[in-house]
Amino acid sequence: MPGLPELNLILLGPPGSGKGTQGERLQEDFRLPYYATGDILRAAVKDGTEVGERAREYMDRGDLVPDEVTIGVIAERIQGEEASDGFILDGFPRTVPQAEALDSRMSELRREITAVILIDVPEEEILRRLGGRRTCEKNPSHIYHVEFDPPEKEGVCDIDRGKLIVRDDDEPEVIRNRLAQYREKTEPLIDHYDERGILNHVDGKQSPDEVEERIHGIIATLRREEEEGM
Ligand code: AP5
Ligand code: MG
C-alpha cells in the first residue's frame, strides 16, 4: 500500500491564538516534526548561542528578529532527514520575505506547502490568553492557562513536573508591540497564501479540542481531494 503523501503544514495566527497549543497536539496526531521559531529562538537565547545573542534584544521588545536569522533556522530544519515526510511550522513565516524564501526553498526541494491554517482570535481574547499563560521551563511546548487550561498542581507541569513560568514577552507593553508587528508584517501573508489557494481559516475562539478537530477535518478533506485527483 502506498504511504500517505507528505504533510507540510503552517500554523498562522496572532500572538496567543493557540498556535503552540495546537502544534503540540498535531505533532503527536500526525507524528511529524514541529518547528516553532519562537521556541527555537528562546532556547538559543537561553543557551547563549550566536543566533540567541542576535535575537535577544528584538524578542525582549516584541519586535521581529531579522529575516536572515529565522530563514536560516528553518531552512536547516526542513531539508533535514527528520522532515522528509513533512513538518509543522509555528511562527514561521512571519513576513513576506520569509514566505518567499520558504517558497523558493520548497521548490528547490520539489516539495509544496500542503496547507496554511489561520487561527482567528479577536484581540480582547488574546489579551486574556497571554495574561494567564504559563509555560514549562523544561519543555516550552507544554502550555497552560491559569483559567482556561490549568495544570493539576499550581505552578507545576503535568507532563514532566517542570516549573511553570511566565514568558518574558508576556508583559502588557510588549504584547501590544507583538500585536502591532503581527498586523503590519504578518497579516499580509494571509493574501499571499489565499492567492495560492492553500489558506484555511479556523475559528480559534472554540475550545482547544474543537480547534484541533477542525484542523483534522481540513486535512482529511485535502487528503480526500488528493485521492480523488482533484
Ligand atoms: P512566538 O513564540 O511565536 O510568539 P507569538 O507568535 O507571539 O505567539 P505565542 O507563542 O505568544 O502564542 P501561540 O499562538 O503559540 O498561543 P499559545 O498556544 O501559547 O514568538 C516570540 C518572538 O520570537 C516574536 O515576538 C519574535 O521576536 C520572535 N520570532 C519568532 N518567530 C519569528 C519569525 N518567524 N520572524 C521573526 N521573529 C520571530 O496559547 C496562548 C494561551 O492561550 C495559553 O495560555 C493557552 O493555554 C491558551 N489557549 C490556547 N488555545 C486556547 C483555546 N482554544 N481556548 C482557550 N485558551 C486557549
Ligand atoms: Mg507559541
Side-chain angles (χ1 to χ4, degrees), residues 16 19-21 37 42 63 91 94 98 133 144 178 206:
K19 303 181 295 296
T21 301
T37 38
R42 273 184 293 279
D63 283 339
R94 233 184 251 246
Q98 289 179 21
R133 171 166 57 189
Y144 300 84
R178 284 161 59 204
Q206 309 170 93

Side-chain angles (χ1 to χ4, degrees), residues 30-116:
F30 294 106
R31 302 195 178 282
L32 288 175
Y34 163 63
Y35 304 124
T37 38
D39 292 348
I40 295 168
L41 293 170
R42 273 184 293 279
V45 168
K46 201 170 157 193
D47 294 344
T49 66
E50 207 182 309
V51 164
E53 288 303 315
R54 281 197 72 188
R56 181 198 299 271
E57 57 173 313
Y58 296 94
M59 297 178 80
D60 285 348
R61 290 195 300 263
D63 283 339
L64 295 188
V65 172
D67 287 336
E68 72 269 16
V69 176
T70 54
I71 290 169
V73 159
I74 288 301
E76 204 178 283
R77 285 171 172 81
I78 62 172
Q79 63 203 24
E81 177 59 30
E82 181 193 64
S84 59
D85 288 336
F87 52 77
I88 301 167
L89 295 183
D90 160 359
F92 186 94
R94 233 184 251 246
T95 63
V96 171
Q98 289 179 21
E100 288 170 350
L102 179 63
D103 288 345
S104 62
R105 183 52 60 106
M106 289 296 277
S107 76
E108 278 161 29
L109 297 169
R110 299 186 191 287
R111 298 171 68 175
E112 282 179 1
I113 300 295
T114 316
V116 177

Side-chain angles (χ1 to χ4, degrees), residues 130-162:
L130 294 181
R133 171 166 57 189
R134 298 292 180 272
T135 56
C136 174
E137 200 172 35
K138 284 192 193 164
N139 183 339
S141 61
H142 301 156
I143 302 165
Y144 300 84
H145 190 283
V146 289
E147 190 185 333
F148 308 136
D149 186 14
E152 280 163 21
K153 184 165 185 271
E154 200 187 316
V156 182
C157 177
D158 294 345
I159 302 165
D160 59 19
R161 318 312 291 166

Side-chain angles (χ1 to χ4, degrees), residues 189-228:
L189 295 188
I190 298 175
D191 282 345
H192 179 91
Y193 289 119
D194 205 12
E195 281 160 14
R196 285 162 180 71
I198 54 172
L199 186 77
N200 299 270
H201 286 262
V202 172
D203 176 6
K205 293 193 302 304
Q206 309 170 93
S207 71
D209 285 350
E210 286 166 323
V211 175
E212 185 184 9
E213 209 174 295
R214 174 85 184 93
I215 297 174
H216 276 266
I218 290 168
I219 293 163
T221 304
L222 287 173
R223 298 266 206 229
R224 239 188 343 266
E225 287 172 359
E226 263 167 19
E227 272 170 27
E228 289 162 6

